[in-house]
Amino acid sequence: MQTFFGVLEAYYEQGYEGRIEYALWPDNHVELKSNFPLLLDSGDDLKIFDVNNNLLWQGTLNFVPRRYWLDCPKKNILIYAETKQNGVNYADWLSWFYYSPPLKAELTVRTLVGVLFARKQQGSEGLIDYAFWPDNHAELKLDSPLTLHSSDDLQIFDAPNILRWRGNLNLVSRRFWDRTKRNDLIHATTKQKGVPYADWLSWFCYDPPLRARLKQNS
């Protein structure tokens, strides 16, 4: 688990048409070399503080679908979200991410936060393992990245923070006709089921690396 201190943010991108994602800007985003916030996810623990730094809400996040005929934003709020926190009024929950100045918060994630990594196998002529470097690898006393395995849950983000892919890993054997992109000098023996091999492989070769969140189930 990792704990982050920061402020709440209603994160949106051009083309969202007012739709937002619930997010937190970590105070140490410079140290994390991240230029985008952390998207909140069910299962994470969150504490929200009001403008006087008093505890406003705390609990484990459990996002449920918004009920369109009942759950509406407050009149002066021009954003909306497709989900809400279970047990909290939708309008109140949404407004907490719209405050100015932003509300302070403490987020404990039960997933690892870090970057994708192509770990080369020694003496393998470019053969790699799909891997993940946690931001807190020093705290975890890791001297090498974590190898990804089938059954792990993975979220991959573009920069800025747009969810590129999310799912349960199901690594299957690469077919001999699966080719890499022309500029890829590496290869792997497996790929994620349902994702083109060339795309999946390229996501582990980005510079700077793609941000990701990992929950190990293996």
Side-chain angles (χ1 to χ4, degrees):
M1 294 190 295
Q2 293 174 262
T3 298
F4 299 90
F5 299 91
V7 295
L8 299 182
E9 176 172 313
Y11 181 79
Y12 66 93
E13 282 287 330
Q14 189 173 11
Y16 276 26
E17 302 297 338
R19 181 178 65 82
I20 64 99
E21 302 287 349
Y22 305 119
L24 177 127
W25 256 115
D27 292 336
N28 63 336
H29 65 91
V30 174
E31 176 188 338
L32 295 175
K33 299 180 181 179
S34 175
N35 61 349
F36 47 84
L38 295 170
L39 298 185
L40 304 188
D41 200 14
S42 289
D44 294 342
D45 293 327
L46 184 67
K47 294 180 182 178
I48 302 174
F49 302 91
D50 65 18
V51 292
N52 298 312
N53 289 326
N54 296 316
L55 185 64
L56 178 63
W57 184 88
Q58 70 173 338
T60 299
L61 295 176
N62 180 18
F63 292 129
V64 295
R66 163 196 175 194
R67 300 165 299 176
Y68 289 96
W69 61 94
L70 287 176
D71 296 323
C72 299
K74 295 181 179 180
K75 290 183 179 179
N76 61 334
I77 294 182
L78 304 178
I79 59 174
Y80 72 95
E82 299 289 1
T83 59
K84 69 168 190 173
Q85 169 63 21
N86 192 24
V88 180
N89 178 273
Y90 171 78
D92 290 338
W93 183 260
L94 191 66
S95 71
W96 295 344
F97 291 81
Y98 200 68
Y99 262 83
S100 182
L103 295 182
K104 294 181 179 179
E106 175 185 328
L107 173 69
T108 300
V109 297
R110 299 185 182 277
T111 53
L112 295 169
V113 178
V115 296
L116 299 183
F117 187 80
R119 182 170 61 186
K120 293 183 180 180
Q121 297 184 12
Q122 279 189 323
S124 59
E125 297 297 331
L127 183 64
I128 64 103
D129 290 321
Y130 304 118
F132 173 89
W133 259 123
D135 290 336
N136 63 338
H137 59 88
E139 176 187 336
L140 296 174
K141 298 180 180 179
L142 294 175
D143 55 8
S144 62
L146 299 170
T147 300
L148 301 184
H149 298 283
S150 289
S151 80
D152 290 343
D153 293 322
L154 185 67
Q155 300 174 48
I156 301 173
F157 299 94
D158 285 327
N161 195 22
I162 302 172
L163 186 65
R164 171 175 289 212
W165 185 87
R166 176 180 187 171
N168 185 257
L169 291 180
N170 183 9
L171 299 175
V172 297
S173 297
R174 166 196 174 190
R175 300 164 300 184
F176 73 91
W177 58 85
D178 286 325
R179 295 289 183 259
T180 63
K181 296 184 178 181
R182 291 183 180 179
N183 59 342
D184 285 338
L185 300 178
I186 62 173
H187 61 98
T189 59
T190 60
K191 69 169 190 172
Q192 170 63 22
K193 187 176 182 180
V195 179
Y197 169 73
D199 290 339
W200 184 258
L201 186 69
S202 70
W203 296 348
F204 290 80
C205 304
Y206 269 70
D207 185 15
L210 292 182
R211 301 288 301 173
R213 293 180 67 170
L214 172 68
K215 180 182 179 183
Q216 293 179 298
N217 298 318
S218 53

